[in-house]
Amino acid sequence: MSSTNENAVKPFKIFVGYDTREDIAFQVCRHSLLKKSSIPLEIIPIKQSELRENGLYWREKDRYESTEFSFSRFLTPRLANFEGWAMFVDCDFLYLADIKELSDLIDDKYAIMCVQHDYAPKETTKMDGAVQTLYPRKNWSSMVLYNCGHPKNRDLTADTVNSQTGAFLHRFQWLQDDEIGSIPFVWNFLEGHNKVVESDPSTFPKAVHYTRGGPWFEAWKNCEFADLWLNERDEYLNEAKKAITN
């Protein structure tokens, strides 16, 4: 007779890019994921300092890196022990829908799945003054479902992530095009780029990506969907305060 623990559903692993300048963004992203989810989640911040301590990341900082997880994100399959499916997402996301809806789209024939944006930003800077770079498949790597056990993803070793070019990694050049599955854009809805069509409910975001900079930065406090993020932040802070006082 099997135990309850053996029959328990394994939590879906979500690795969130963590930047020391954006702790509140990570906390709000995490809060929105957990609040909406009908499935168990394990949310793990990808912290560069910890990866360096553990000998998994030794890459020197690149002048085009806008976040501390620009390259460490590609360690996701390695951090998931090359088993099952896991997700990577930037910290500047706000989830408005149940992540189960996204996990239901998983197709084992793919090595990864992502929103395949055609995105050319007009701004030259983003966030707190970081350089806004333009490259093919921009923002594809900002939210990725990884089939961690896929043979091709076993190539994403620590050595590969620390030595390969940004182009190789962000354009998924270890894969063939037909190994990359597509996800509806509403799961990586780019604030300032994607648009809601009022007459079409399928265009309303399920996850807002404040890719230019979110309302936790002074310069972006009035961006589109800022009110949704600020409301979520206030709810998170109130719950955190109650947890301390109790």
Side-chain angles (χ1 to χ4, degrees):
M1 185 174 176
S2 61
S3 68
T4 303
N5 287 339
E6 287 173 346
N7 291 329
V9 177
K10 282 187 176 181
F12 182 50
K13 289 186 177 182
I14 299 178
F15 294 87
V16 181
Y18 185 89
D19 193 297
T20 50
R21 300 165 299 168
E22 298 181 271
D23 177 74
I24 190 62
F26 164 77
Q27 300 296 348
V28 173
C29 177
R30 180 179 182 275
H31 184 268
S32 69
L33 278 163
L34 291 171
K35 185 175 79 171
K36 301 288 193 307
S37 183
S38 63
I39 58 173
L41 303 178
E42 182 181 359
I43 300 177
I44 307 110
I46 291 186
K47 295 186 176 182
Q48 189 183 124
S49 58
E50 293 179 0
L51 294 173
R52 289 187 183 279
E53 287 173 15
N54 294 328
L56 289 174
Y57 195 76
W58 56 87
R59 190 177 184 123
E60 289 186 13
K61 181 174 169 57
D62 185 284
R63 65 192 179 103
Y64 293 115
E65 284 182 59
S66 59
T67 67
E68 294 173 15
F69 50 88
S70 291
F71 296 108
S72 57
R73 70 183 68 212
F74 298 103
L75 288 169
T76 293
R78 166 67 178 78
L79 295 172
N81 297 314
F82 298 110
E83 296 175 352
W85 282 82
M87 185 172 92
F88 169 82
V89 65
D90 287 3
C91 63
D92 54 357
F93 271 65
L94 178 70
Y95 280 84
L96 306 176
D98 187 347
I99 201 69
K100 182 181 184 299
E101 294 179 37
L102 179 59
S103 67
D104 285 345
L105 300 178
I106 283 173
D107 188 331
D108 287 333
K109 75 179 181 181
Y110 296 116
I112 66 168
M113 300 180 72
C114 66
V115 177
Q116 299 183 9
H117 288 295
D118 181 11
Y119 176 56
K122 301 180 184 70
E123 300 81 16
T124 56
T125 60
K126 62 179 180 176
M127 293 170 50
D128 55 350
V131 174
Q132 178 71 279
T133 53
L134 180 61
Y135 52 85
R137 296 185 173 178
K138 186 171 178 65
N139 265 312
W140 287 30
S141 63
S142 58
M143 192 207 74
V144 181
L145 291 167
Y146 282 95
N147 186 354
C148 301
H150 192 283
K152 288 286 190 73
N153 288 332
R154 289 185 174 275
D155 291 341
L156 285 180
T157 61
D159 284 336
T160 298
V161 172
N162 282 282
S163 63
Q164 275 291 355
T165 64
F168 177 90
L169 295 168
H170 285 281
R171 299 178 198 174
F172 309 129
Q173 290 180 348
W174 70 94
L175 302 173
Q176 299 297 315
D177 287 355
D178 62 3
E179 293 167 329
I180 304 173
S182 182
I183 292 169
F185 80 94
V186 290
W187 286 104
N188 188 347
F189 188 104
L190 303 178
E191 180 277 327
H193 173 69
N194 293 127
K195 300 298 179 187
V196 174
V197 178
E198 292 297 337
S199 60
D200 185 358
S202 70
T203 64
F204 193 79
K206 293 180 181 291
V208 177
H209 183 188
Y210 300 91
T211 184
R212 301 183 301 169
W216 54 96
F217 291 119
E218 181 65 25
W220 298 100
K221 64 181 181 180
N222 296 316
C223 67
E224 193 176 7
F225 303 110
D227 56 331
L228 297 180
W229 188 90
L230 292 168
N231 289 340
E232 192 82 23
R233 180 203 61 185
D234 292 347
E235 187 177 291
Y236 157 72
L237 291 174
N238 286 334
E239 289 181 12
K241 187 177 179 181
K242 286 179 185 175
I244 293 172
T245 54
N246 291 338

